[in-house]
Amino acid sequence: MSTPRNIVRLPKPATSAYNPNRPLAANALIRAQVRHFAEAERHLPPEFRTHIDPHKIETEGEASIYIRKVTEAIHATGGRPRKVQVP
Amino acid sequence: MSMGVDRLKHIVVLMMENRSFDHMLGSLKAEDPRVNGLSGHESNTDTTNEPVVVQPLAQFQSQLDPDPDHHFPAAHKQLYWGTPYATGGPPNPPSMNGFVQSYFDQRKSVDHSRKIMYYFKEDKLPVLTTLARNYALFNGWFSSIPGPTLCNRAFAHYGTSFGQVSMDVFYYNKQYLSVYERLTKAGHSAKLYYFDAASSSLEVVNLLQNQPALFGTFKQFLEDCKSGALPQYSFIEPNYSDHPADDGAEIIASDQHPDHDVQQGEIFIAQVYNAIRQNPALWQSTALLVVYDEHGGIYDHVPPPACMPDGFTATPDQTGVPGLTFSFNRLGVRVPAILVSPWVPKATVVPGPEVENGRVFEHASIPGTVTSFFLGDYADRSPREIHAATFLDLLSDQMRPEADCPVFGD
């Protein structure tokens, strides 16, 4: 499909790049994402809740576990449209 | 209509995180003067009143820690420092002189605050610069709001942030449909692909919890590209976190959000590109836009222009800037944006506000382009989206030969 002439070599990250223990305090985006997932979890049926306290999440790795559980629960509920209460 | 538009069946948008145009692509000006990048003389003033000149010393990781503040008050300082910004602000022109001052606020280190002026040499980002050199680079693509991720990403999904300038984006009773809802209601196909469940979507409250059928994973995107099952419109979210895979493998965040590794983001961009590029039928019928959501607090030299007000107003309580009401009448900081297609003439540079009659794009250009292409006239859109520039006119009548379009490999 491609000629050797038009192949561009990909970079390789350092092995030290991976750090799931990075403090959540260092990333405002994931902090906000956790907050939003906590809001979404409030609207899940009780049997689908994670029983994880989002306030106790301290690292990126812990956040990813929580986000994964809520995402899977949202899909497991079958995508039934549900009314969100206006706070 | 050009032949490229006539053949177009798919639009794909990949939105990365938190890097400014000059930080990622500013060095390209040295090899192509049409690129509105850096001359090497641009500067900001630090807290000792010394000028800090831009330098090609950006590193892939461990340099911008803590995450540079880019919430509305910080972005406002970055844009308006040195002007009477306490009473000014939009629509007055920005100074672009407050980036170092703003970063100093976080660590109170003069030396560290200067790093916000660092940019990448072009050879450090082979994927992004290859795409910029080979397809259409926008000199004037701006984030939609001088503020953080979620309100900016909302413009890509809805053409507005419904008056929000923060990360507290809960769009109850929203008056405009997302572009995905518009398309699927009209019988078209659309999907948001997030990386995996552990990274998930930034659209959880607004779309994922109400319409999970609109979502897929990146693995599914790769399969859909291979099998020819890609929807008409796809929006791709990178991996937002370092986390283990099911088999224990180490998955590195690919969003390029500081302090995540920039090279992993390069690999991710290449994976998206290659997936489309390696299916000949898909390659010939797809336009891929690679764009960043906002500047992440990092320096850019181009003052964001004024824009059509959005019909919403953020009060001083909401902007966080005493006395400043924001009418969504000025864009945020400029970001990298590249349109990829074999129908784009090689080395296109789309002029921006640096020239008279230059073109200005923002994230409302995304639903604006997608909606106009697939649905034609569609009235129920925000004022910003209605007035946003669209970009499919960059597709030409001439498809480039195979050997003229690069591929990324190990």
Side-chain angles (χ1 to χ4, degrees):
Chain A
M1 158 125 206
S2 57
T3 62
R5 206 162 54 83
N6 67 1
I7 294 179
V8 177
R9 298 287 162 210
L10 285 174
K12 284 198 177 8
T15 49
S16 59
Y18 180 72
N19 180 16
N21 296 319
R22 189 178 291 118
L24 206 55
N27 188 313
L29 179 62
I30 306 180
R31 284 204 310 276
Q33 202 184 9
V34 166
R35 203 154 40 84
H36 286 221
F37 275 77
E39 172 68 16
E41 188 185 11
R42 280 201 318 118
H43 301 281
L44 289 173
E47 65 271 27
F48 287 97
R49 296 197 183 150
T50 65
H51 306 293
I52 294 173
D53 181 353
H55 297 101
K56 292 186 175 163
I57 294 173
E58 293 183 348
T59 68
E60 217 166 275
E62 290 169 5
S64 71
I65 291 168
Y66 176 64
I67 287 167
R68 176 185 180 142
K69 288 186 174 193
V70 178
T71 299
E72 288 172 346
I74 288 170
H75 283 291
T77 57
R80 293 187 302 272
R82 62 184 65 77
K83 270 274 185 242
V84 176
Q85 297 296 313
V86 177
Chain B
M1 183 188 289
S2 70
M3 186 88 79
V5 175
D6 195 41
R7 297 280 178 87
L8 187 66
K9 293 180 183 165
H10 310 274
I11 299 175
V12 177
V13 172
L14 167 59
M15 186 168 270
M16 304 294 285
E17 276 285 311
N18 288 40
R19 303 277 169 173
S20 72
F21 181 102
D22 281 343
H23 178 68
M24 300 296 270
L25 296 172
S27 69
L28 289 179
K29 183 187 176 85
E31 65 180 48
D32 185 345
R34 296 174 303 156
V35 177
N36 189 11
L38 296 166
S39 68
H41 302 296
E42 295 82 2
S43 67
N44 263 205
T45 309
D46 71 15
T47 51
T48 67
N49 277 330
E50 289 296 317
V52 183
V53 178
V54 293
Q55 291 190 75
L57 298 175
Q59 294 175 1
F60 300 126
Q61 198 170 28
S62 306
Q63 190 171 58
L64 295 176
D65 187 11
D67 173 16
D69 192 354
H70 48 282
H71 286 72
F72 194 93
H76 187 69
K77 183 171 188 174
Q78 291 152 17
L79 267 61
Y80 285 99
W81 188 84
T83 72
Y85 70 92
T87 54
N92 300 317
S95 66
M96 308 306 282
N97 194 23
F99 289 84
V100 177
Q101 300 280 335
S102 171
Y103 201 32
F104 176 84
D105 290 343
Q106 291 179 256
R107 219 154 105 170
K108 307 294 183 196
S109 160
V110 175
D111 282 347
H112 190 68
S113 69
R114 293 172 174 156
K115 293 177 180 173
I116 210 71
M117 302 296 285
Y118 290 174
Y119 64 95
F120 285 101
K121 269 187 74 69
E122 64 281 4
D123 58 354
K124 293 191 91 171
L125 304 178
V127 175
L128 200 64
T129 55
T130 294
L131 296 181
R133 288 182 183 114
N134 278 276
Y135 299 102
L137 172 64
F138 293 86
N139 268 348
W141 193 297
F142 294 81
S143 52
S144 294
I145 295 177
T149 289
L150 294 181
C151 53
N152 271 298
R153 283 181 175 261
F155 274 82
H157 301 307
Y158 301 91
T160 179
S161 66
F162 303 94
Q164 296 279 353
V165 295
S166 72
M167 298 292 270
D168 297 323
V169 185
F170 298 101
Y171 301 136
Y172 302 111
N173 305 317
K174 57 189 191 299
Q175 67 205 77
Y176 303 114
L177 291 178
S178 71
V179 62
Y180 319 93
E181 294 163 305
R182 296 173 203 170
L183 291 177
T184 52
K185 273 182 84 164
H188 294 272
S189 54
K191 222 168 195 57
L192 287 97
Y193 292 96
Y194 54 70
F195 185 79
D196 63 11
S199 172
S200 198
S201 176
L202 297 178
E203 271 298 302
V204 59
V205 172
N206 309 315
L207 281 173
L208 177 57
Q209 74 171 356
N210 293 313
Q211 304 221 39
L214 289 174
F215 289 78
T217 62
F218 185 61
K219 187 176 172 214
Q220 187 185 344
F221 170 79
L222 296 176
E223 290 165 359
D224 288 348
C225 284
K226 207 168 185 177
S227 66
L230 201 66
Q232 289 165 300
Y233 178 52
S234 306
F235 185 92
I236 301 170
E237 298 188 65
N239 174 23
Y240 300 116
S241 63
D242 289 3
H243 61 267
D246 287 341
D247 62 2
E250 297 178 347
I251 301 181
I252 303 172
S254 57
D255 60 353
Q256 298 184 327
H257 188 294
D259 188 37
H260 289 154
D261 189 86
V262 171
Q263 286 185 303
Q264 190 65 32
E266 284 263 291
I267 292 170
F268 187 71
I269 295 168
Q271 285 178 316
V272 171
Y273 171 87
N274 278 356
I276 298 167
R277 171 80 173 77
Q278 288 169 344
N279 176 335
L282 189 62
W283 174 238
Q284 294 170 19
S285 60
T286 300
L288 165 66
L289 178 74
V290 179
V291 64
Y292 287 67
D293 66 338
E294 34 90 356
H295 70 303
I298 305 170
Y299 176 72
D300 191 85
H301 81 282
V302 177
C307 64
M308 168 63 60
D310 199 27
F312 296 95
T313 300
T315 64
D317 277 353
Q318 292 165 323
T319 64
V321 181
L324 183 73
T325 297
F326 182 58
S327 305
F328 296 82
N329 55 351
R330 182 169 291 283
L331 298 175
V333 176
R334 193 172 58 134
V335 290
I338 300 164
L339 183 66
V340 174
S341 158
W343 298 93
V344 169
K346 190 177 179 113
T348 297
V349 176
V350 185
E354 72 280 3
V355 296
E356 198 176 345
N357 300 321
R359 303 176 67 185
V360 171
F361 298 82
E362 55 137 326
H363 301 331
S365 297
I366 294 171
T369 300
V370 172
T371 302
S372 294
F373 179 69
F374 288 114
L375 301 182
D377 290 337
Y378 185 92
D380 200 12
R381 304 196 245 182
S382 72
R384 282 277 286 269
E385 184 182 331
I386 288 169
H387 288 87
T390 60
F391 51 79
L392 293 181
D393 60 295
L394 297 171
L395 305 184
S396 70
D397 285 322
Q398 191 70 42
M399 194 176 81
R400 286 161 53 184
E402 169 71 21
D404 193 36
C405 300
V407 175
F408 299 104
D410 292 328

